[in-house]
Amino acid sequence: MDLASFLTSLLTSFVIFVALVLVFTWLSSRPGNAPVYYPSLLLRGLDPWEGRGRGTRSPVGWLRQALAASESDVVAAGGVDAAVYLVFLSSVLSILVFSGIVLLPVLLPVAATDNALERSIGLKNGKTAQNFTELERLALGNVQEGSLRLWAFLLAVYLVSFITYFVLWKSYKHVSNMRAAARSTPDIKPEEFAVLVRDVPMPPPDQTIKDSVDSYFRALHPDTFYRSMVATDHTKADKIYQEIEGHKQKIARAEVVYAESKTASKPEGTKPTHRIGFLGLIGKKVDTIEYCNDQIKELLPKLEAEQKTTLREKQQQAAIVFFNRRSAAASASQTLHAQMFDRWTVEQAPEPRQIIWSNLSKKIYERQIRQVVIYAIVFLTVVFYMVPITAISALTTLEKLREKLPFLKVVVDQKEIKTVLQAYLPQLALIVFLALLPSLLMFLSKSEGIPSQSHTVRAASGKYFYFIVFNVFLGVTIGSTLFSALTTIINNPPGIVKMLANSLPGSATFFLTFVALKFFVGYGLELSRLVPLIIFHLKRKYLCKTEDDVRAAWAPGDLGYNTRVPNDMLIVTIVLCYSVIAPLIIPFGVAYFALGWIIAKNQVLRVYVPSYESNGRMWPHMHTRIIAALLIYQTTMVGVILLKKFYYSTVLVPLIPISFIFAYICHMRFYPAFAKTPLEVVQHDVKETPNMDAIYTAYIPACLRPEKLEDVDIFEDAQSHTTSRAPSI
Amino acid sequence: MDLASFLTSLLTSFVIFVALVLVFTWLSSRPGNAPVYYPSLLLRGLDPWEGRGRGTRSPVGWLRQALAASESDVVAAGGVDAAVYLVFLSSVLSILVFSGIVLLPVLLPVAATDNALERSIGLKNGKTAQNFTELERLALGNVQEGSLRLWAFLLAVYLVSFITYFVLWKSYKHVSNMRAAARSTPDIKPEEFAVLVRDVPMPPPDQTIKDSVDSYFRALHPDTFYRSMVATDHTKADKIYQEIEGHKQKIARAEVVYAESKTASKPEGTKPTHRIGFLGLIGKKVDTIEYCNDQIKELLPKLEAEQKTTLREKQQQAAIVFFNRRSAAASASQTLHAQMFDRWTVEQAPEPRQIIWSNLSKKIYERQIRQVVIYAIVFLTVVFYMVPITAISALTTLEKLREKLPFLKVVVDQKEIKTVLQAYLPQLALIVFLALLPSLLMFLSKSEGIPSQSHTVRAASGKYFYFIVFNVFLGVTIGSTLFSALTTIINNPPGIVKMLANSLPGSATFFLTFVALKFFVGYGLELSRLVPLIIFHLKRKYLCKTEDDVRAAWAPGDLGYNTRVPNDMLIVTIVLCYSVIAPLIIPFGVAYFALGWIIAKNQVLRVYVPSYESNGRMWPHMHTRIIAALLIYQTTMVGVILLKKFYYSTVLVPLIPISFIFAYICHMRFYPAFAKTPLEVVQHDVKETPNMDAIYTAYIPACLRPEKLEDVDIFEDAQSHTTSRAPSI
């Protein structure tokens, strides 16, 4: 890629970005769009414009507000998880800013004043000097082999590593405190009073599972046990419940349509009807309101009967056990209960809203086997996904594309279009390609038998990270199939370092463009929310009848960490790896994470609504992967500098064990407080006497929930043969 | 080694063994030797001959009794640890017996009817048929390359592996139940009411460490916290205490001497005197009784003062915290207390008698660093210990020895002596050599900062296992310096398998003799206790004055797991590795473990006195190492059969992952109950209301212990600025 197409790419991206920001500024100031741009505010009952003066309508108003918001505002709006994601972005930003301050003024002149590229041209004679761009002059490639200038690059690797350690340590400490603070608030959270019990052994035939759970926990925790709720297989009850809900929705819609049809000319209106056959297209025509009411009347007793059967007959070998003190629950969740590990396994209860009921009853051996199988599938996916990627790589040069698809000639031969296409095509192909994967990974992670949504997201995010680093970073860099890379690795493990070192400098410009495209276009789209806006307006116009429908149409969802984090991690890996080879990438990285931070903050404050709260359990995951990126960086740098025939590059080798030791120390020092609940943080008293009934009710699945709160006792008794409730309240 | 010298070796060993057993039978029936042969019985207040009839004096009486003793007798006499050691021996015995039943009748004929050895001789022509012994005919070496007979050997590897899995699984289950039973007895054990707290942060200046421990634990465990005892640096108090005890001993001895000197001829007797200078050789002569009494009078106030200073001023950042319920202590020891992992780390308290006070206050980072340093030292020891071993290997052939030390000619040229020497010399050199190591390893393990004696023993045993397998087994087998082996490993990891496979068959006879020597002579000496017998009689005659002295002279000590277990493990490794190559080793292995089991049982019942009780925590350690031996076996067998140009040997490769999976499943299923205390096993009620004062007192070090039990409160108050005892009892 020459300088012209690089600048074109950059400029186009920037223009698109500016356009999208302007669009955002204009659209977001129109009250009709409030549900798209301020859904989080609306849901929290705040007026987006109230008390904010005209600032909101100025083009930089959102920027000023996002900058002004404190961490506690973020926690209040998006929970600790969102705050931790922002800490992640700002940590990487700090690493890059600190590195850039030293590296750019030092390395760029050192590289630019050397002349390895000219000499190599001189040696080959045949080529002209235009073959290398100004960009390539500013990189490691322009330093002569064995030159003492390489010391500067070598020390830069040390500097970047130590800056990373320093920033990561600070951040881990900060996040750790944030988590502790969040966990020791006086608010009552149901999950802090409960533990999840899995692998409950089958009770003798005269006992229900519920009875055996009760008697087991009452014996072991006589003073603190409150109640238990056995997990049930409520798919059937849920189906009936959903059917009833569907009918209710239909009635609501039909009533709106009916009311609207009562015009002045026709005061009695038209009763809405529909056909009851396939997709409402065939079958008898019925009056919707009447028909649905009949259906509900018919289904309600069925639901009640099914609820009873479910509670009594469909108990599964898992339960949520409630304690009357937070510290008792914290302590119980960390204590080994049974002599045999495959019975009565306890862990912290997930939040009620993120519990995955269908996974609870999976036995420990099943979970283990599923995990192994799924990791095998992921491994195969990572390896074989490379095949199509390689096909695309082969097509990336436009000339080849033109040869293979002659009908494109007309378009491609236009000079401007050619430049733009040449700049974007390979990157676009990659980005589109990657959009297909996350759902598969979420499905696979859920199949592992993980009991909570947030854990599933972390697991999917981890898998995506492997995928993206191996396929995009290594795949593009090495520029060959991962197959041949794998055979190299198997035959000669250190060979991969040499291979990377050989290929890295060549792909610098590609990744520079990749990063720029990601942040300008990606963030522009993110901020302007054009797609949700269009969908919302279309839905409102043609589909939504009731208020509930409208609300469903603008429901913003959560941040989607499972794709967001690995994508950011890819940029971290790329920028770290090129930070010394081509220091010019650092400003791009800074821009990516600075823009990312400010835009994510804006979106957290105004748009996204968290669907769960894991109190920052994502952090250790991010931390480990930043260190993994650092290790890739350090390893390749040893190779890159060695290839320059500079044998002091072995001076870099100690960095690798240092990184491992750093990771180990962080894990030892901070991780336990993420995996377990320290007693210290739950010793604080709660605001008021906890309403244990409410805590218990929070865990009842919607389809089994009794109509009134007083019925909770009946609900519980339905699970056991004897009325076995504890006398304590 | 030819057949004659092998048989000589075997016969000599057997004769020695029979002689030693006869000596034992004769000596142990003499009442004067009771303290040597029945110390454990005497200490438990039992009469060795009571109620046992004349059976005891018959040559096989001890055998009958040992066989008749049940596991609960063993637990009563030697604790769970001894019972677990016997389970270990009997498990290995079962593995070998089951394997032998199938392997011997099948593999021996298969090997003996082939003629690879004769053919190889035939090919080389020059040598006679006497060059290979009958032993070598019966081994894998006699099967021709690529022969279908190798299938039998290949399937035998599978058989042995699955027998091992089966027996290990049964044994782990058995030991696990034994441990649970031992832990749920109604007896009150102080360690079950206590947790060890380390890394206590420095308190503010107006608080003692004791105060801060008290307030921290009272806040977190308001209902169950009883008391705490802060660890102190009591070396100085201990020194004074030992001095007083020394003087008391001297007085006791002097009084006996004085009483004896009161003969009829001289009724007033001679007062014993000694010199107070260096070693009692120089200086003023003083009346011993008077002098020592004065010294004690002088030292007692000093001790009291030092006790006070120690309790108040020399508190260290570690403590034992007591709870008033077993389940509370079990739960607390498993619960994370502090937000930061390097503060307030809790674990199960060790037994009072095995606590290592000086290690308690070591901080977590110090412990980590010490561990790394010590593993580095052990690694270097393992590698460089090989240098002298190699020197000995070079000298093992007697001819070489004769050349180098010509003055030995006279002895060596005698035919009988030559045969015996040739049979024993290399093995003896090895055995003597290995006797030097255990103390070093115990010292190193203690330096790691481990808080309990039993854990130190396990750590030392682990190190010794690495040492013994690498140096003795691999060293002797490969027959070259470990250095060259290491370079092979580094350059080409799979090369080690080929190297082993090449060398293993050649060393078969060496190891056959080695095992025989170990069990005949080793167990003969163990049973007859000749060395302790001689020492006891010498001491009693010349040194012992008082009853206490005599008791000290026959104190039997414990089983010494730190050397015993790795030595047995070496035999396990050897026998497993040769079980298919030279199946004739199986009977030797069976003899080793059968004799070992019966003799160890006898010694546990009558001789050794356990110095601590870890409730079988040694088992997971043994289990893992048996699997390690199995893995060495499986790996080498792939190589050995491959070298026979039998390419189906890859059929064996799946065994290696199967072993890992087996180890993982066992670890997951059984290990948690060894590392932690399951709540299930401590829920049983204790026999009587626990006497919490007695539990507390058990942990006070001897040198700080107050004279009367009522002073415990004073002792506790001495540690804190305020009287902060809990009102609860």
Side-chain angles (χ1 to χ4, degrees):
Chain A
M1 189 189 296
D2 54 21
L3 193 61
S5 76
F6 172 71
L7 288 180
T8 316
S9 144
L10 214 62
L11 209 70
T12 332
S13 303
F14 184 68
V15 169
I16 295 174
F17 177 69
V18 170
L20 287 169
V21 170
L22 290 176
V23 165
F24 161 73
T25 314
W26 178 63
L27 287 174
S28 68
S29 62
R30 292 167 63 96
N33 291 330
V36 176
Y37 293 106
Y38 310 100
S40 170
L41 291 179
L42 292 178
L43 280 177
R44 283 181 288 148
L46 301 170
D47 177 354
W49 288 281
E50 190 187 76
R52 296 183 184 220
R54 58 188 179 76
T56 324
R57 283 160 197 260
S58 90
V60 290
W62 66 273
L63 200 65
R64 216 164 37 219
Q65 279 174 27
L67 284 174
S70 71
E71 194 159 70
S72 51
D73 295 338
V74 173
V75 172
V80 179
D81 289 339
V84 164
Y85 177 64
L86 292 179
V87 170
F88 161 68
L89 294 177
S90 63
S91 303
V92 178
L93 182 61
S94 319
I95 294 172
L96 295 181
V97 167
F98 289 140
S99 304
I101 287 172
V102 183
L103 262 57
L104 289 177
V106 173
L107 295 189
L108 292 186
V110 168
T113 55
D114 210 337
N115 57 352
L117 289 174
E118 276 162 23
R119 280 166 61 100
S120 74
I121 300 296
L123 289 174
K124 289 182 190 162
N125 278 327
K127 299 183 181 180
T128 60
Q130 273 72 28
N131 259 24
F132 54 90
T133 65
E134 283 305 308
L135 293 177
E136 281 162 15
R137 253 185 202 288
L138 293 171
L140 181 64
N142 199 31
V143 178
Q144 289 184 38
E145 288 183 349
S147 159
L148 285 178
R149 289 167 189 244
L150 289 167
W151 272 111
F153 291 87
L154 205 145
L155 292 176
V157 179
Y158 263 91
L159 184 83
V160 172
S161 301
F162 279 94
I163 288 174
T164 310
Y165 301 145
F166 175 76
V167 172
L168 284 182
W169 181 266
K170 285 269 172 204
S171 303
Y172 214 144
K173 209 166 180 175
H174 177 67
V175 171
S176 190
N177 290 332
M178 195 156 49
R179 177 176 164 91
R183 304 210 71 178
S184 53
T185 50
D187 300 323
I188 291 166
K189 294 167 201 142
E191 64 274 16
E192 294 188 341
F193 289 86
V195 302
L196 170 61
V197 183
R198 302 172 89 177
D199 308 301
V200 175
M202 279 311 288
D206 62 322
Q207 268 193 328
T208 61
I209 294 176
K210 158 92 178 158
D211 295 332
S212 96
V213 170
D214 277 355
S215 64
Y216 188 80
F217 277 89
R218 189 164 299 129
L220 294 184
H221 304 276
D223 306 328
T224 50
F225 172 78
Y226 170 65
R227 267 183 183 182
S228 72
M229 179 191 294
V230 172
T232 51
D233 173 16
H234 51 256
T235 39
K236 209 172 157 196
D238 200 47
K239 212 180 137 201
I240 303 174
Y241 177 78
Q242 295 301 344
E243 235 173 288
I244 295 176
E245 291 296 306
H247 287 303
K248 281 187 184 162
Q249 221 171 29
K250 266 191 192 162
I251 294 173
R253 275 186 206 157
E255 268 165 0
V256 172
V257 173
Y258 183 42
E260 277 169 0
S261 70
K262 286 180 189 164
T263 50
S265 59
K266 198 182 174 192
E268 76 284 2
T270 331
K271 285 215 166 187
T273 58
H274 72 280
R275 291 177 191 276
I276 56 169
F278 178 73
L279 284 177
L281 296 176
I282 51 167
K284 216 177 74 187
K285 213 170 190 176
V286 291
D287 178 330
T288 305
I289 297 177
E290 247 173 57
Y291 174 77
C292 287
N293 270 327
D294 288 349
Q295 287 285 316
I296 290 175
K297 257 178 226 150
E298 217 171 276
L299 284 170
L300 269 179
K302 263 173 86 179
L303 176 64
E304 260 174 52
E306 181 56 35
Q307 281 179 346
K308 269 196 194 119
T309 330
T310 305
L311 289 178
R312 174 64 65 98
E313 314 287 347
K314 295 185 181 169
Q315 295 187 8
Q316 305 218 287
Q317 288 166 273
I320 312 277
V321 171
F322 298 86
F323 292 87
N324 52 29
R325 277 213 312 270
R326 300 206 292 187
S327 60
S331 188
S333 73
Q334 295 171 48
T335 306
L336 184 66
H337 278 66
Q339 169 76 8
M340 290 296 156
F341 189 61
D342 55 356
R343 283 192 279 163
W344 299 106
T345 50
V346 289
E347 58 191 282
Q348 291 173 51
E351 282 183 312
R353 57 179 165 172
Q354 57 162 315
I355 212 162
I356 303 173
W357 288 100
S358 55
N359 274 345
L360 292 194
S361 62
K362 297 214 165 73
K363 306 302 290 275
I364 189 159
Y365 293 114
E366 193 189 335
R367 301 200 298 266
Q368 302 279 351
I369 292 164
R370 277 168 175 268
Q371 207 175 23
V372 171
V373 170
I374 279 162
Y375 269 90
I377 294 174
V378 170
F379 178 78
L380 292 178
T381 315
V382 168
V383 173
F384 288 99
Y385 221 65
M386 205 57 214
V387 180
I389 284 259
T390 319
I392 290 180
S393 306
L395 292 175
T396 42
T397 50
L398 211 57
E399 276 69 35
K400 280 192 191 153
L401 200 67
R402 195 165 148 270
E403 277 166 31
K404 306 231 165 154
L405 305 169
F407 59 86
L408 283 178
K409 258 187 195 168
V410 197
V411 187
V412 167
D413 285 348
Q414 308 253 346
K415 196 163 178 292
E416 298 75 33
I417 295 179
K418 190 177 170 183
T419 316
V420 172
L421 277 184
Q422 208 160 21
Y424 283 136
L425 206 68
Q427 292 88 338
L428 262 179
L430 246 175
I431 289 169
V432 169
F433 205 63
L434 288 172
L436 305 171
L437 196 67
S439 338
L440 172 70
L441 293 180
M442 272 304 276
F443 168 76
L444 285 175
S445 299
K446 202 181 157 189
S447 308
E448 278 181 45
I450 293 170
S452 75
Q453 193 61 31
S454 62
H455 193 166
T456 313
V457 167
R458 285 200 299 281
S461 162
K463 295 185 180 73
Y464 199 42
F465 173 74
Y466 296 132
F467 177 84
I468 215 168
V469 165
F470 274 91
N471 278 322
V472 181
F473 180 62
L474 298 188
V476 169
T477 308
I478 296 174
S480 63
T481 61
L482 201 58
F483 275 126
S484 68
L486 272 182
T487 46
T488 314
I489 292 169
I490 289 163
N491 293 327
N492 179 17
I496 185 73
V497 175
K498 203 180 155 195
M499 201 182 222
L500 259 181
N502 257 326
S503 334
L504 266 181
S507 312
T509 332
F510 172 85
F511 281 116
L512 228 63
T513 327
F514 183 72
V515 173
L517 186 71
K518 271 241 160 191
F519 71 74
F520 279 139
V521 181
Y523 284 139
L525 282 172
E526 163 83 46
L527 185 67
S528 63
R529 289 177 68 73
L530 283 183
V531 180
L533 183 82
I534 294 164
I535 293 175
F536 166 66
H537 282 292
L538 285 178
K539 273 195 180 167
R540 195 168 57 172
K541 190 137 191 188
Y542 299 107
L543 290 172
C544 300
K545 307 287 178 197
T546 64
E547 274 299 300
D548 283 347
D549 286 351
V550 177
R551 204 164 290 132
W554 58 254
D558 66 4
L559 244 81
Y561 300 103
N562 58 324
T563 52
R564 200 176 272 266
V565 174
N567 276 313
D568 292 338
M569 286 304 316
L570 174 65
I571 307 293
V572 174
T573 314
I574 291 172
V575 175
L576 271 182
C577 283
Y578 284 100
S579 63
V580 169
I581 298 175
L584 217 58
I585 206 167
I586 295 179
F588 287 83
V590 168
Y592 180 89
F593 286 101
L595 272 179
W597 179 76
I598 196 73
I599 289 174
K601 204 167 176 187
N602 177 69
Q603 306 296 77
V604 165
L605 288 169
R606 300 173 169 189
V607 180
Y608 294 121
V609 176
S611 60
Y612 59 78
E613 173 64 87
S614 72
N615 287 312
R617 281 211 61 173
M618 195 69 166
W619 178 259
H621 179 98
M622 294 160 166
H623 174 88
T624 316
R625 275 155 190 80
I626 296 178
I627 293 179
L630 191 68
L631 277 166
I632 298 177
Y633 163 52
Q634 291 165 343
T635 320
T636 51
M637 284 316 294
V638 174
V640 167
I641 296 187
L642 203 63
L643 275 186
K644 282 274 168 188
K645 304 224 166 86
F646 189 65
Y647 299 105
Y648 292 109
S649 90
T650 42
V651 170
L652 291 177
V653 173
L655 276 178
I656 295 165
I658 291 175
S659 293
F660 275 107
I661 292 169
F662 175 75
Y664 177 72
I665 291 177
C666 284
H667 183 87
M668 191 184 74
R669 185 180 167 96
F670 298 110
Y671 188 68
F674 282 81
K676 301 169 171 181
T677 309
L679 274 191
E680 267 182 17
V681 307
V682 289
Q683 69 163 329
H684 306 278
D685 287 324
V686 286
K687 200 153 43 178
E688 60 224 46
T689 322
N691 179 349
M692 292 307 294
D693 271 343
I695 289 172
Y696 184 78
T697 319
Y699 275 95
I700 303 178
C703 63
L704 300 179
R705 199 164 287 170
E707 300 286 308
K708 292 175 232 89
L709 190 60
E710 302 90 76
D711 295 343
V712 167
D713 291 350
I714 303 166
F715 169 85
E716 199 195 354
D717 290 343
Q719 292 203 323
S720 74
H721 280 175
T722 53
T723 303
S724 60
R725 231 168 320 117
S728 64
I729 289 293
Chain B
M1 189 190 294
D2 54 21
L3 193 60
S5 76
F6 172 70
L7 288 179
T8 316
S9 144
L10 214 61
L11 209 71
T12 332
S13 303
F14 184 67
V15 168
I16 295 175
F17 177 69
V18 169
L20 287 170
V21 170
L22 291 176
V23 164
F24 162 72
T25 315
W26 179 63
L27 287 175
S28 68
S29 62
R30 292 167 63 95
N33 290 333
V36 176
Y37 292 106
Y38 308 101
S40 171
L41 292 178
L42 292 178
L43 281 176
R44 282 181 289 149
L46 302 170
D47 177 353
W49 287 281
E50 192 185 75
R52 296 183 186 221
R54 59 189 176 74
T56 324
R57 283 159 199 261
S58 90
V60 291
W62 66 273
L63 200 64
R64 215 162 37 218
Q65 280 174 23
L67 283 174
S70 71
E71 194 159 72
S72 51
D73 295 339
V74 172
V75 171
V80 179
D81 289 339
V84 165
Y85 177 64
L86 292 180
V87 170
F88 161 68
L89 293 177
S90 63
S91 303
V92 178
L93 183 61
S94 320
I95 294 172
L96 295 181
V97 168
F98 289 140
S99 304
I101 288 171
V102 182
L103 262 57
L104 288 177
V106 173
L107 294 189
L108 291 186
V110 167
T113 54
D114 210 334
N115 57 352
L117 288 173
E118 274 162 23
R119 280 167 61 100
S120 73
I121 300 296
L123 289 174
K124 289 183 189 162
N125 277 326
K127 299 184 181 181
T128 60
Q130 273 72 29
N131 258 25
F132 54 90
T133 65
E134 284 303 309
L135 294 177
E136 282 162 14
R137 254 185 198 289
L138 294 170
L140 181 64
N142 199 31
V143 179
Q144 287 182 39
E145 288 182 349
S147 158
L148 285 179
R149 291 168 187 243
L150 288 168
W151 272 111
F153 291 87
L154 206 145
L155 292 176
V157 180
Y158 262 92
L159 184 82
V160 172
S161 301
F162 279 94
I163 289 174
T164 310
Y165 301 145
F166 175 76
V167 172
L168 283 183
W169 180 266
K170 285 266 172 208
S171 303
Y172 214 144
K173 209 166 181 176
H174 177 68
V175 171
S176 189
N177 290 333
M178 196 158 49
R179 178 177 164 90
R183 302 210 72 179
S184 54
T185 50
D187 301 322
I188 290 164
K189 293 168 202 143
E191 65 275 15
E192 294 187 340
F193 290 86
V195 301
L196 170 60
V197 182
R198 301 172 91 178
D199 308 302
V200 175
M202 279 311 288
D206 61 322
Q207 268 193 327
T208 62
I209 294 175
K210 158 91 177 159
D211 294 333
S212 97
V213 170
D214 276 357
S215 64
Y216 187 79
F217 277 88
R218 188 164 299 131
L220 293 185
H221 304 276
D223 305 329
T224 51
F225 172 77
Y226 172 64
R227 267 183 185 181
S228 72
M229 180 191 295
V230 172
T232 52
D233 174 16
H234 52 255
T235 39
K236 209 172 156 195
D238 201 47
K239 213 180 138 200
I240 302 174
Y241 177 77
Q242 295 302 343
E243 235 174 287
I244 295 176
E245 291 297 305
H247 286 305
K248 280 185 184 162
Q249 221 170 29
K250 266 190 192 163
I251 294 173
R253 275 185 206 159
E255 268 164 0
V256 173
V257 173
Y258 183 42
E260 278 170 0
S261 70
K262 286 179 189 164
T263 51
S265 60
K266 200 183 174 193
E268 76 283 2
T270 331
K271 286 216 165 184
T273 57
H274 73 278
R275 292 177 192 275
I276 56 170
F278 178 73
L279 282 177
L281 296 177
I282 52 165
K284 219 177 73 188
K285 214 169 190 177
V286 291
D287 178 330
T288 304
I289 297 176
E290 247 173 58
Y291 174 78
C292 287
N293 270 326
D294 288 350
Q295 287 285 317
I296 291 176
K297 256 178 227 151
E298 217 171 275
L299 286 170
L300 271 180
K302 262 173 86 180
L303 176 64
E304 260 174 56
E306 181 55 36
Q307 282 179 344
K308 269 197 195 122
T309 329
T310 304
L311 290 177
R312 175 63 66 99
E313 315 287 346
K314 294 185 181 170
Q315 295 186 9
Q316 305 218 288
Q317 288 166 273
I320 313 278
V321 172
F322 298 87
F323 292 87
N324 52 29
R325 277 211 314 269
R326 299 206 292 186
S327 60
S331 189
S333 73
Q334 294 171 51
T335 307
L336 184 66
H337 278 66
Q339 168 76 7
M340 290 295 157
F341 190 61
D342 55 356
R343 283 191 280 164
W344 299 107
T345 51
V346 291
E347 59 191 285
Q348 290 174 51
E351 282 184 312
R353 57 180 167 171
Q354 57 162 315
I355 211 162
I356 302 174
W357 288 100
S358 55
N359 274 345
L360 294 193
S361 61
K362 297 214 166 73
K363 304 304 288 278
I364 191 159
Y365 293 114
E366 192 189 334
R367 302 201 296 267
Q368 301 278 353
I369 292 165
R370 276 167 176 269
Q371 209 176 20
V372 170
V373 170
I374 280 162
Y375 270 89
I377 294 174
V378 169
F379 178 78
L380 293 178
T381 314
V382 168
V383 173
F384 288 99
Y385 220 65
M386 206 56 214
V387 179
I389 284 258
T390 318
I392 290 180
S393 305
L395 290 175
T396 41
T397 49
L398 211 59
E399 277 68 36
K400 280 192 191 153
L401 199 66
R402 193 165 150 270
E403 276 167 30
K404 305 233 165 151
L405 305 168
F407 59 88
L408 284 179
K409 261 187 193 169
V410 197
V411 188
V412 167
D413 286 348
Q414 308 253 345
K415 196 163 178 295
E416 297 76 33
I417 295 179
K418 191 177 168 181
T419 317
V420 172
L421 277 185
Q422 207 159 24
Y424 282 136
L425 206 66
Q427 291 88 337
L428 263 179
L430 245 176
I431 289 169
V432 168
F433 205 64
L434 289 173
L436 305 171
L437 196 67
S439 338
L440 172 70
L441 293 180
M442 273 302 277
F443 168 76
L444 285 176
S445 300
K446 203 181 154 188
S447 307
E448 279 181 44
I450 293 169
S452 76
Q453 192 62 30
S454 61
H455 192 167
T456 312
V457 167
R458 286 200 299 283
S461 163
K463 296 185 179 76
Y464 199 42
F465 173 75
Y466 296 132
F467 178 85
I468 215 167
V469 166
F470 273 90
N471 278 321
V472 181
F473 180 62
L474 297 189
V476 170
T477 309
I478 296 175
S480 61
T481 60
L482 201 59
F483 275 127
S484 69
L486 272 183
T487 45
T488 314
I489 293 168
I490 289 163
N491 292 328
N492 179 17
I496 186 74
V497 175
K498 203 180 156 195
M499 201 181 220
L500 259 182
N502 257 324
S503 332
L504 266 181
S507 312
T509 332
F510 172 85
F511 281 115
L512 229 64
T513 327
F514 183 73
V515 173
L517 185 72
K518 271 241 161 189
F519 72 74
F520 279 139
V521 180
Y523 284 138
L525 282 173
E526 163 83 46
L527 185 66
S528 64
R529 287 180 68 74
L530 283 184
V531 179
L533 183 81
I534 294 165
I535 292 174
F536 167 65
H537 281 294
L538 285 178
K539 272 195 181 166
R540 194 167 59 170
K541 191 138 191 189
Y542 298 108
L543 290 173
C544 301
K545 306 291 178 195
T546 63
E547 275 299 302
D548 283 346
D549 287 349
V550 177
R551 202 165 292 131
W554 59 256
D558 67 4
L559 244 82
Y561 301 102
N562 58 324
T563 53
R564 201 176 271 265
V565 174
N567 275 313
D568 293 338
M569 286 305 317
L570 174 65
I571 307 292
V572 174
T573 314
I574 290 172
V575 175
L576 272 183
C577 283
Y578 282 100
S579 63
V580 169
I581 298 175
L584 217 58
I585 207 168
I586 295 179
F588 287 83
V590 168
Y592 179 89
F593 285 100
L595 272 178
W597 179 75
I598 195 72
I599 289 174
K601 202 166 177 187
N602 177 68
Q603 306 296 78
V604 165
L605 288 170
R606 299 172 168 190
V607 180
Y608 294 120
V609 177
S611 60
Y612 59 78
E613 174 66 86
S614 72
N615 288 312
R617 282 212 57 173
M618 195 68 164
W619 177 259
H621 179 98
M622 293 160 166
H623 174 88
T624 316
R625 275 154 191 80
I626 295 178
I627 292 180
L630 191 68
L631 277 167
I632 297 178
Y633 162 54
Q634 291 165 343
T635 320
T636 51
M637 284 315 295
V638 174
V640 167
I641 297 186
L642 204 62
L643 274 187
K644 282 272 170 192
K645 303 220 167 91
F646 190 65
Y647 300 104
Y648 292 109
S649 88
T650 41
V651 169
L652 291 176
V653 173
L655 276 178
I656 295 167
I658 291 175
S659 293
F660 276 107
I661 292 168
F662 175 75
Y664 176 72
I665 291 176
C666 285
H667 183 86
M668 193 184 73
R669 187 180 165 95
F670 297 110
Y671 188 69
F674 282 81
K676 301 168 172 180
T677 308
L679 273 190
E680 267 183 17
V681 307
V682 290
Q683 69 163 330
H684 305 280
D685 285 325
V686 286
K687 199 155 42 180
E688 60 223 47
T689 321
N691 179 348
M692 292 306 295
D693 270 344
I695 288 170
Y696 184 78
T697 320
Y699 275 94
I700 303 179
C703 63
L704 300 180
R705 198 164 287 170
E707 299 287 309
K708 292 175 232 90
L709 190 58
E710 302 91 75
D711 296 343
V712 167
D713 289 350
I714 301 166
F715 169 85
E716 199 196 355
D717 291 343
Q719 290 202 324
S720 74
H721 279 175
T722 51
T723 303
S724 59
R725 233 169 316 118
S728 65
I729 290 295

